[in-house]
Amino acid sequence: MKINKSVYVLYLFIGALVFGGCKKDVYDPNKDESKSNNSDYLTRAEKSLDIDYGIKGYKAVFEIYTENPIVTENGVSKKKEGVNAPFKVYTNDDCQYTGSISLPTATDKVYLYSEYIGLPECVELEVGESGIRFNMKEYREQQQSSGAKAATTLAKNVSLSRAGGDNPYNISAPLGTWSNGDYFQKNGIPNYLLKEYDIPEGLLNRIQNTLEGIDNFKYVRSSDVVNIKVIENASIKLIFLDGKGEYRNAMGYYYYNSKKELTAEEFNALPKYLAFPSCTEYSRPGGTLWGGDRIKLMYYGEDGKSEGSETFPQGTTIGWFLLANGFEDYGYNCKVNYNPKKGTWFSNDEFNEGKIKSCISIYDKESKKTILGIEDGGDKDYKDILFYVEATPDEAIYDPNKPTTDPEVPFDPETSGETVGTLAFEDLWPNKGDYDMNDVVITYKRSYTFDKDNNILEIQNSFTPYHEGGKIQSAFGYQIDLPQTYVDEVKMTNNNTSSAQLDAKGMEKEQDKATFILFDDLGQAKNNGEITLTIKLAASAGVKVDDIQKNKFYNPFICVSRSKTGNPVTSLPRREIHLTNYPPTKLADITNDFGRYDDRSGIDKEGNAIGPKYYVGDETNPYPFAIDLPITDYVVPDESVKINIFYPDFLNWVKEPTKYGDWYKNPKK
């Protein structure tokens, strides 16, 4: 708000007379209560969040995005660069989470994302009035039922090269057919999946801990360790865990007499059997399989011509192959091909191009399961197809030479992505002023670090003074809804706050809640740029991720000067301006400001603030004096142009906050 200095002094003088007189214009909250405004004018909503992956003994990290974090380019699916997840949390020990999440009110869908093994990578979820809910069992059953209705079966059309139609590796598909629906359905789901889904308790945590990061080359072994040696007659099941490779890979198995050394010609002629035509995790584009999907491997004799048997004889070695990008989905005509450009990879590395070792194999002692991973030729994570094998009896395939999973499962602290936004204030409160909402404009970013129990360890913040539209000296700070004793340490950089105002830890003195003053003078702060603030919480605080999602956990405010020379923070009585219905701090002046002019804050007849209404306009013109927007590219209204003129949907939002939640995206052209 730009005003002439002489007018400003006159305004202060008149204000002082009014403030020093009787309180006849003090708002009585018991009068015309039915006409008063009840909206908090929030552009963020606190929603319930109920996630149930339904896996016993599995603690995992998931994130919530407001945009799809997966992109497909040239047929390759990958995570977008620079995409931000403002919410991140650990599940409990049974892969469940119940709590709250703060989202822009205009959000109608979110994306549940996890990089943990065995979990859907990305699932689109609706944001309903009752919140956000995901139950993997229900979701799985719903998706499988939908796919089954549209799917037809496809003849066993496999291993035809794009060029000549030959089958150099002697691959066939005797186990069964797979779904072949249309362009809008899931294709490549085997019709021979078993109706079993359970994964041994704790197995996924042990695998996740063992195969951490993107380089798992240390678990690569030669074929004599990777291949499964059947040491007594056994039935074998193959259980899919994950398939987050960039390609739609196909995979299968082969077997041979353990005592036989194969030549290249003999290996190429060896019968090979397609197990999964498409090994992509279900939530990924074109994905077909869920963690826990399984099939029973069949034995067709050494020459592959016998009738299928569920028993593999003692002395048999089972190997694996991957057809990189081998599943071709044309809707009504799906095929499985080997792709010379992408490669065909075998667990018998001596027959791979360049004798590259493409498989890892580890053994889980607790569950007695053998876990395998195949690399499709990209990075070295060896998780492009991740599966495990179980035998009946268990001891029939144990190989003591395999590396084992790590029984100790450490859960390191995690850091969320950033919540971003813009704060805009009208500095002439309790007067409406010209209501251009450009007097103090500040952008911010915040994130948090938390432990395995979702206790908040640190809160990271940054604030950038963005625009100064007023001439009154303004300060900025914020309060968090925690006692000062909960804060262990404060680190602030580039602030211009007098140290006399702060205690030894860096919080404002004489406050009951943790309060931080970032600058005393917006003009000076704007020249200095970004201010960072890191709050380390005490170990005993017990503040959870859920706690900081509450709407009023963060309480930002400005202090405006009552004179040309006074410090707006330390000169009392202190005039603070907060978001609508956010309470003033302990040091704010209540007597001289609340309920006067255009303000209708809740105060009693003696002039004491009682809430719950604060910083809100009158009945005929209900409006906020400060707003918090979930964007950082706020187009600031022109000087002296009312915000409702600059943003045509603003008044609609004031009247119906839940309906026009994205008004800030549409400035007047």
Side-chain angles (χ1 to χ4, degrees), residues 358-567:
S358 60
C359 295
I360 61 172
S361 180
I362 55 178
Y363 183 74
D364 183 60
K365 291 182 179 179
E366 293 192 35
S367 65
K368 298 182 180 179
K369 308 301 180 187
T370 297
I371 298 96
L372 300 108
I374 309 180
E375 177 58 47
D376 65 10
D379 52 27
K380 295 180 180 180
D381 67 359
Y382 294 89
K383 293 185 286 189
D384 296 322
I385 299 178
L386 193 65
F387 57 100
Y388 71 92
V389 175
E390 61 182 25
T392 304
D394 290 331
E395 296 78 10
I397 61 172
Y398 174 61
D399 185 345
N401 294 319
K402 296 182 189 298
T404 58
T405 59
D406 189 345
E408 299 296 327
V409 184
F411 296 98
D412 297 327
E414 295 277 351
T415 299
S416 72
E418 293 178 328
T419 295
V420 301
T422 299
L423 299 163
F425 297 86
E426 178 59 48
D427 66 359
L428 283 184
W429 175 88
N431 281 275
K432 180 179 178 182
D434 58 9
Y435 206 56
D436 52 14
M437 292 298 276
N438 71 4
D439 299 327
V440 178
V441 182
I442 299 166
T443 62
Y444 66 84
K445 300 175 184 178
R446 60 175 181 251
S447 59
Y448 55 88
T449 299
F450 58 101
D451 66 13
K452 68 181 180 66
D453 296 317
N454 294 326
N455 293 309
I456 297 294
L457 305 177
E458 280 189 355
I459 302 174
Q460 300 88 20
N461 307 267
S462 69
F463 298 89
T464 302
Y466 179 64
H467 183 82
E468 182 184 17
K471 287 294 184 180
I472 306 174
Q473 184 177 336
S474 298
F476 172 73
Y478 76 102
Q479 186 175 79
I480 58 177
D481 191 20
L482 295 176
Q484 288 187 328
T485 54
Y486 280 29
V487 176
D488 190 49
E489 183 180 353
V490 178
K491 294 181 180 179
M492 200 177 325
T493 64
N494 205 31
N495 62 305
N496 66 337
T497 308
S498 170
S499 59
Q501 301 167 212
L502 309 179
D503 64 15
K505 292 181 180 179
M507 293 177 284
E508 187 177 26
K509 296 177 180 178
E510 299 181 23
Q511 295 278 14
D512 51 355
K513 295 182 179 181
T515 308
F516 312 92
I517 303 298
L518 278 72
F519 57 78
D520 295 330
D521 187 338
L522 173 61
Q524 180 181 343
K526 190 171 180 293
N527 294 328
N528 294 342
E530 183 184 54
I531 302 168
T532 64
L533 176 64
T534 300
I535 305 166
K536 182 179 180 181
L537 298 185
S540 59
V543 180
K544 302 289 187 179
V545 170
D546 183 59
D547 295 327
I548 68 171
Q549 300 298 314
K550 307 302 182 184
N551 283 339
K552 295 180 182 178
F553 181 81
Y554 296 92
N555 185 358
F557 61 92
I558 62 171
C559 302
V560 295
S561 179
R562 294 185 187 275
S563 66
K564 291 191 295 183
T565 58
N567 186 307

Side-chain angles (χ1 to χ4, degrees), residues 278-433:
S278 175
C279 279
T280 304
E281 185 272 312
Y282 197 95
S283 71
R284 289 179 64 82
T288 54
L289 297 176
W290 292 83
D293 278 344
R294 65 198 65 201
I295 61 173
K296 185 172 290 186
L297 301 187
M298 301 297 289
Y299 180 79
Y300 298 98
E302 288 193 27
D303 59 2
K305 297 180 180 179
S306 301
E307 185 176 348
S309 169
E310 294 183 0
T311 301
F312 284 76
Q314 176 185 354
T316 302
T317 294
I318 303 174
W320 317 98
F321 68 88
L322 178 151
L323 303 175
N325 212 27
F327 187 74
E328 294 184 347
D329 189 351
Y330 296 119
Y332 288 105
N333 186 24
C334 303
K335 295 181 180 180
V336 174
N337 285 321
Y338 85 92
N339 185 338
K341 292 183 179 180
K342 303 299 182 183
T344 300
W345 305 102
F346 301 99
S347 57
N348 283 74
D349 52 80
E350 64 268 29
F351 302 117
N352 286 332
E353 183 178 351
K355 298 185 177 181
I356 294 175
K357 292 181 174 65
S358 60
C359 295
I360 61 172
S361 180
I362 55 178
Y363 183 74
D364 183 60
K365 291 182 179 179
E366 293 192 35
S367 65
K368 298 182 180 179
K369 308 301 180 187
T370 297
I371 298 96
L372 300 108
I374 309 180
E375 177 58 47
D376 65 10
D379 52 27
K380 295 180 180 180
D381 67 359
Y382 294 89
K383 293 185 286 189
D384 296 322
I385 299 178
L386 193 65
F387 57 100
Y388 71 92
V389 175
E390 61 182 25
T392 304
D394 290 331
E395 296 78 10
I397 61 172
Y398 174 61
D399 185 345
N401 294 319
K402 296 182 189 298
T404 58
T405 59
D406 189 345
E408 299 296 327
V409 184
F411 296 98
D412 297 327
E414 295 277 351
T415 299
S416 72
E418 293 178 328
T419 295
V420 301
T422 299
L423 299 163
F425 297 86
E426 178 59 48
D427 66 359
L428 283 184
W429 175 88
N431 281 275
K432 180 179 178 182

Side-chain angles (χ1 to χ4, degrees), residues 92-158:
N92 64 16
D93 291 334
D94 290 330
C95 226
Q96 302 164 327
Y97 179 80
T98 300
S100 301
I101 182 172
S102 179
L103 294 169
T105 55
T107 305
D108 58 4
K109 60 184 175 182
V110 296
Y111 298 86
L112 173 66
Y113 177 87
S114 180
E115 296 181 353
Y116 267 53
I117 291 168
L119 298 186
E121 182 177 57
C122 186
V123 181
E124 181 180 307
L125 303 175
E126 292 185 0
V127 179
E129 287 296 323
S130 60
I132 303 165
R133 181 177 180 272
F134 174 76
N135 181 290
M136 191 158 80
K137 181 181 178 182
E138 294 176 5
Y139 185 81
R140 179 178 190 157
E141 291 174 350
Q142 176 188 0
Q143 297 300 315
Q144 289 177 336
S145 174
S146 175
K149 291 178 181 178
T152 59
T153 55
L154 175 71
K156 299 161 188 176
N157 188 1
V158 300

